[in-house]
Amino acid sequence: MTIAQKIGMALSYKNMSQSELARQIGTTPQNLSQKIKRNTLTKEELEKIAETLGAIWKAEFEFPDGTII
């Protein structure tokens, strides 16, 4: 599964749009979209995304209820 797929599934799980995620992590929707598309997100950015979604980044998203994406 790609990072893009994992982020998409995590967003769906949290019922959040990619645009809303971008705003919450302090970037533009266009910038986030390009980073996801090009697979150029840093570990720090992935950790920030996970934190924003209420998860932990371990090369996957792990939610408090045990769901792993």
Side-chain angles (χ1 to χ4, degrees):
M1 183 179 303
T2 67
I3 296 295
Q5 290 170 318
K6 287 184 179 195
I7 291 172
M9 290 177 70
L11 288 170
S12 179
Y13 179 80
K14 293 300 284 190
N15 196 29
M16 182 185 292
S17 70
Q18 188 171 304
S19 294
E20 178 61 24
L21 174 63
R23 284 187 285 279
Q24 288 193 27
I25 65 170
T27 191
T28 64
Q30 297 83 2
N31 186 44
L32 180 58
S33 179
Q34 287 300 310
K35 284 182 167 257
I36 291 170
K37 182 179 178 182
R38 294 182 182 139
N39 196 27
T40 57
L41 290 160
T42 65
K43 178 181 181 253
E44 291 77 19
E45 289 170 324
L46 290 166
E47 288 171 346
K48 190 171 186 178
I49 288 169
E51 181 182 340
T52 300
L53 294 172
I56 299 168
W57 176 254
K58 298 193 243 181
E60 60 197 11
F61 295 99
E62 183 177 333
F63 292 91
D65 69 358
T67 299
I68 297 175
I69 299 173

